[in-house]
Amino acid sequence: MTKEAKFNTELEICQMTNEMLEDITRIHIHAFKGAMNTRIGKPYIRRFFDWFLRAETGIALVAILKNGKHNKIVGYVIGVSPRFGKAMDRDLFYVTFWSILIRPWLFLSYQFRATLKARLKDIFKTSSGQSIPMNLPDPVMSLVGIA
C-alpha cells in the first residue's frame, strides 16, 4: 500500500521588502545570467531593486510559494511610471559607475560599450530631445523587470 503525499501549496503575491532583497537578487542573477546588469555585479542589482522599494511611484511585488511552514520567494515584478525612468538612471549612476570601474573587463564587450553609451546619452540629454507623447490615462506603469 502506498501513501499519498498531500501537498497544499499556494502562491501569494505581496509587496517586496528589504528583507527579501537577497533572495530577489539571487533570482535575478539566475534568470538573467550574462545580461549586462548582472555582469555589473550584485551591489548594483541590490541597489537597483532598493530603488523600487523607495520610489514613490514604483511597484515592487514578489511571488511567494507557500507550502505548509515553508515559504519560498519564486519571482518578482518591478515597474515605475515612465516619467521616472530617467530619475532612476540618475539615482543609480554612482553605484553603476563604481561597479563598472572595478570590472574593467566589461569594456571589452561591444554590447556593453554600446549600451553604456546609449544610457549615458539618455541620462544627460536635455528635455529638448524628441520624444513620443504618451496619450494614455493615468496611472501608467512601465514594466522594468520580471522573473
Side-chain angles (χ1 to χ4, degrees):
M1 194 177 223
T2 61
K3 291 185 179 180
E4 282 187 35
K6 190 173 184 178
F7 295 101
N8 186 13
T9 60
E10 65 180 69
L11 188 66
E12 180 180 331
I13 307 298
C14 62
Q15 285 290 124
M16 188 184 294
T17 65
N18 281 319
E19 294 78 23
M20 299 172 178
L21 287 179
E22 187 65 34
D23 289 335
I24 297 300
T25 299
R26 186 179 23 65
I27 289 170
H28 183 83
I29 290 170
H30 179 73
F32 298 102
K33 188 175 184 176
M36 187 176 94
N37 66 358
T38 59
R39 290 169 41 202
I40 293 174
K42 195 174 179 179
Y44 167 80
I45 294 168
R46 284 185 63 92
R47 187 71 176 270
F48 173 73
F49 284 111
D50 181 60
W51 188 90
F52 289 92
L53 293 178
R54 293 181 290 113
E56 211 173 281
T57 62
I59 290 180
L61 303 174
V62 296
I64 301 175
L65 188 62
K66 294 187 168 203
N67 185 0
K69 295 179 182 177
H70 304 287
N71 297 334
K72 182 177 181 181
I73 296 173
V74 294
Y76 69 85
V77 63
I78 51 176
V80 70
S81 167
R83 293 184 280 268
F84 290 93
K86 198 172 187 178
M88 178 182 69
D89 287 342
R90 284 185 179 152
D91 290 347
L92 294 174
F93 179 79
Y94 290 108
V95 70
T96 305
F97 178 78
W98 176 252
S99 296
I100 292 170
L101 190 64
I102 63 174
R103 293 170 180 83
W105 59 86
L106 293 173
F107 288 101
L108 297 175
S109 164
Y110 172 77
Q111 177 202 15
F112 181 83
R113 291 190 313 270
T115 302
L116 182 62
K117 181 179 175 182
R119 296 289 277 219
L120 288 171
K121 186 176 179 182
D122 190 47
I123 289 171
F124 295 112
K125 83 175 174 189
T126 62
S127 60
S128 63
Q130 295 282 336
S131 65
I132 300 170
M134 286 198 290
N135 297 320
L136 300 171
D138 281 332
V140 175
M141 299 298 289
S142 288
L143 175 64
V144 177
I146 187 170

